[in-house]
Amino acid sequence: MAAPERDQVADSPAVRRHPALFRALRRRKNPRLRRSDITVTDEAAVKRAVKAAALGNAMEWFDFGIYSYLALTIGHVFFPTGNETTELLSSFATFAVAFLVRPLGGMFFGPLGDRIGRKKVLAMTMIMMAIGTGTIGLIPSYDSIGFWSPALLILFRLVQGFSTGGEYGGASTFIAEYAPDKRRGFFGSFLEFGTLAGYVGAAGLVTGLTAWLGTGGMTDWGWRVPFLVAAPLGLIGLYLRLRLDETPAFAKMEQGTVHASEAADLVETSTVADLGKIFRGHWPRLILCVCLVGAYNVTDYMLLSYMPTYLSDQLGYSDTHGLLILLGVMVVLMTLIHHVGRLSDHFGRKPLLMTGMLGFLVLSLPAFLLIQQGGYLAVIAGMAMLGLSLVCLLGTMSAALPALFPTSVRYGSLSVGYNFSASLFGGTTPFVITGLISLTGDDLMPAYYSMLAALIGVGAVACMKETARQPLEGSPPSVQTREEAAALVVAMAAERRI
């Protein structure tokens, strides 16, 4: 409402006749912030929450990294046709299959996390991920059992995809609700540090095994080792998650310390009703989330998943050399990502996200032209250009996305929006790029595809609101110290008097 309109309402005859009544209505609409409403975070608890969430994310991307880096080998083992392009397309199609059920997993686990709590659902998704990943390492090859081999691979990829549908939305929500408002970007960056750690672990393990066993040994049995390693990692992650308490924001919402309108939303408890509430009441935010995640995922999967295959299949590099180059780039990004998180806390989410999107829009084509020149220095320079753009997104997105939605529907809304977008634009990226190159014969298709995604991302970032250093919608402020909480109460009281 504009200032003249507020003055007009304030001077209306009804307000002059009943000033006390209207003051009471204003106080009820904007209740006074009390010291007990403010969450004072426990640094040790925040670190435990970050560690548990990041480990789960690392396991998820360890799995996807393994599958991407072993795409050629998996094609030989499960889809032996004698044609390498067909085998590669079949392997990437199976990679994409897991993403088809991610929205279903998001629609199941997301609303459930808003009803029964973040901690319980994240434990469930961790168990399913460990089972799905470990079992893939036990599947007999096509030469042993024929059709049943790729059928079982697809089945357990579906299990992975369904469980992953509840993973990112829950993990990012978990960290965002534990972190203090002024450091949400920094702590959120650890989630994507887990992403890079998963990729680095996968790339390092696959590179070491390939160098040791050779292509023949990897095809015979070496490909199984990385999948089997993921199962005990999942058990460690489950142990860490079960030791955690529920997030302060969810606990306060359950206790009724959030706004009454938010608490009343919890009356409808069926999944269908919860999904209806999300789609009816928050569809503009869902569309924004889908656009942001779509642009982010295309560029993420293009660089971190598809690039080793591009270097080996299109440019003739050996599998080991391509992975080593990417491994070095990812290690550098891991050293930078926390600094990007801090910068997003200081300057805001939008400037960092816009920098990353514009980086891909402007630098993708020069980067791929450099990569195509050949020679390690040119390839490293091109991948560094893409990596620096990506780290601006990686270090910021996990704090920006949870802030799009209110607490009562945050897990569900983010899971639905994130996984719908990841299904359409994330897991399909290697398959689409491989198909486009095969159809057109143009090795620059990855650059054009990422530029299109970045253009959509620029528009999405321009439309979003800045949320840095602000409380999450539907939750009270979260601070680091009691002194900060007391100062905030005084400041809010002064604003009300003004």
Side-chain angles (χ1 to χ4, degrees):
M1 182 184 295
E5 293 176 319
R6 284 199 301 268
D7 294 340
Q8 188 176 3
V9 171
D11 292 337
S12 66
V15 173
R16 289 197 296 272
R17 286 197 301 270
H18 307 285
L21 174 61
F22 278 87
R23 280 197 301 272
L25 289 173
R26 285 195 297 271
R27 283 196 298 270
R28 187 170 184 178
K29 187 176 181 180
N30 184 26
R32 182 174 62 86
L33 184 69
R34 297 169 298 177
R35 166 62 189 82
S36 58
D37 293 334
I38 300 174
T39 300
V40 179
T41 59
D42 178 354
E43 184 82 6
V46 173
K47 290 180 178 179
R48 286 196 302 271
V50 168
K51 185 188 302 181
L55 182 60
N57 211 44
M59 179 186 166
E60 174 189 347
W61 296 109
F62 179 80
D63 159 49
F64 285 121
I66 288 169
Y67 199 97
S68 299
Y69 305 147
L70 290 173
L72 284 171
T73 303
I74 289 173
H76 295 323
V77 173
F78 291 97
F79 308 98
T81 64
N83 184 307
E84 283 203 355
T85 300
T86 302
E87 291 175 356
L88 184 60
L89 283 171
S90 299
S91 180
F92 278 141
T94 307
F95 178 79
V97 157
F99 286 81
L100 296 179
V101 296
R102 280 184 66 160
L104 298 179
M107 287 189 288
F108 175 78
F109 288 116
L112 193 63
D114 285 325
R115 290 204 306 274
I116 69 173
R118 287 64 164 123
K119 170 186 171 180
K120 295 176 184 176
V121 175
L122 283 173
M124 293 166 58
T125 60
M126 180 63 76
I127 292 171
M128 289 187 67
M129 286 170 62
I131 292 173
T133 304
T135 309
I136 287 177
L138 302 174
I139 300 174
S141 67
Y142 185 91
D143 292 338
S144 299
I145 61 174
F147 163 79
W148 289 105
S149 181
L152 288 172
L153 176 64
I154 291 171
L155 172 64
F156 289 111
R157 287 291 295 163
L158 292 174
V159 172
Q160 288 177 320
F162 189 78
S163 63
T164 304
E167 178 62 30
Y168 183 89
S172 57
T173 294
F174 205 78
I175 292 178
E177 292 183 350
Y178 253 107
D181 296 332
K182 294 182 179 180
R183 300 187 71 197
R184 189 169 295 118
F186 171 69
F187 285 115
S189 69
F190 280 89
L191 189 64
E192 299 299 352
F193 182 87
T195 297
L196 292 172
Y199 272 124
V200 167
L205 183 56
V206 171
T207 302
L209 286 171
T210 303
W212 176 37
L213 300 174
T215 303
M218 289 297 290
T219 303
D220 290 340
W221 63 272
W223 68 269
R224 299 181 185 277
V225 175
F227 289 102
L228 295 175
V229 166
L233 288 178
L235 295 178
I236 295 172
L238 176 63
Y239 169 74
L240 290 174
R241 287 184 174 182
L242 290 176
R243 293 181 61 220
L244 296 173
D245 295 325
E246 191 51 82
T247 69
F250 183 83
K252 287 201 172 187
M253 183 181 69
E254 282 196 314
Q255 295 166 6
T257 57
V258 297
H259 288 269
S261 60
E262 294 286 340
D265 286 342
L266 298 177
V267 173
E268 297 181 84
T269 56
S270 73
T271 298
V272 174
D274 288 340
L275 290 173
K277 179 174 62 177
I278 290 170
F279 285 111
R280 286 193 309 270
H282 303 281
W283 64 265
R285 305 185 197 207
L286 276 177
I287 293 175
L288 181 60
C289 178
V290 167
C291 292
L292 285 169
V293 173
Y296 160 58
N297 270 341
V298 166
T299 54
D300 187 0
Y301 283 90
M302 185 271 296
L303 180 60
L304 301 185
S305 292
Y306 175 72
M307 189 57 73
T309 301
Y310 180 80
L311 292 174
S312 60
D313 196 46
Q314 303 299 325
L315 302 183
Y317 282 81
S318 70
D319 295 341
T320 303
H321 287 165
L323 281 174
L324 282 174
I325 293 172
L326 181 62
L327 192 61
V329 170
M330 290 191 294
V331 170
V332 172
L333 298 187
M334 290 176 71
T335 64
L336 297 176
I337 193 166
H338 300 318
H339 299 293
V340 173
R342 286 194 180 96
L343 287 174
S344 77
D345 284 330
H346 184 73
F347 294 106
R349 317 293 185 226
K350 293 184 66 171
L352 271 297
L353 291 175
M354 188 63 78
T355 299
M357 296 297 182
L358 289 175
F360 275 107
L361 184 62
V362 174
L363 298 177
S364 289
L365 190 56
F368 272 90
L369 287 172
L370 265 176
I371 291 170
Q372 287 190 345
Q373 293 298 312
Y376 289 119
L377 288 179
V379 172
I380 291 171
M383 293 183 67
M385 292 164 67
L386 298 173
L388 291 174
S389 300
L390 180 61
V391 78
C392 292
L393 306 181
L394 286 172
T396 310
M397 198 68 77
S398 52
L401 292 176
L404 293 176
F405 304 102
T407 301
S408 62
V409 295
R410 181 170 297 121
Y411 196 153
S413 300
L414 183 51
S415 294
V416 170
Y418 185 93
N419 289 293
F420 180 77
S421 187
S423 177
L424 287 177
F425 309 112
T428 59
T429 295
F431 178 78
V432 169
I433 292 176
T434 302
L436 287 173
I437 293 175
S438 180
L439 285 173
T440 64
D442 189 347
D443 290 343
L444 291 175
M445 276 297 162
Y448 302 142
Y449 196 56
S450 63
M451 289 168 68
L452 177 61
L455 185 61
I456 296 171
V458 167
V461 174
C463 293
M464 67 180 287
K465 293 190 299 184
E466 183 57 70
T467 56
R469 304 173 66 86
Q470 298 175 18
L472 293 168
E473 184 178 345
S475 296
S478 179
V479 298
Q480 290 183 267
T481 64
R482 297 180 183 276
E483 292 75 17
E484 190 178 351
L488 183 59
V489 170
V490 172
M492 293 289 285
E495 286 182 12
R496 285 171 58 86
R497 286 195 296 271
I498 293 173

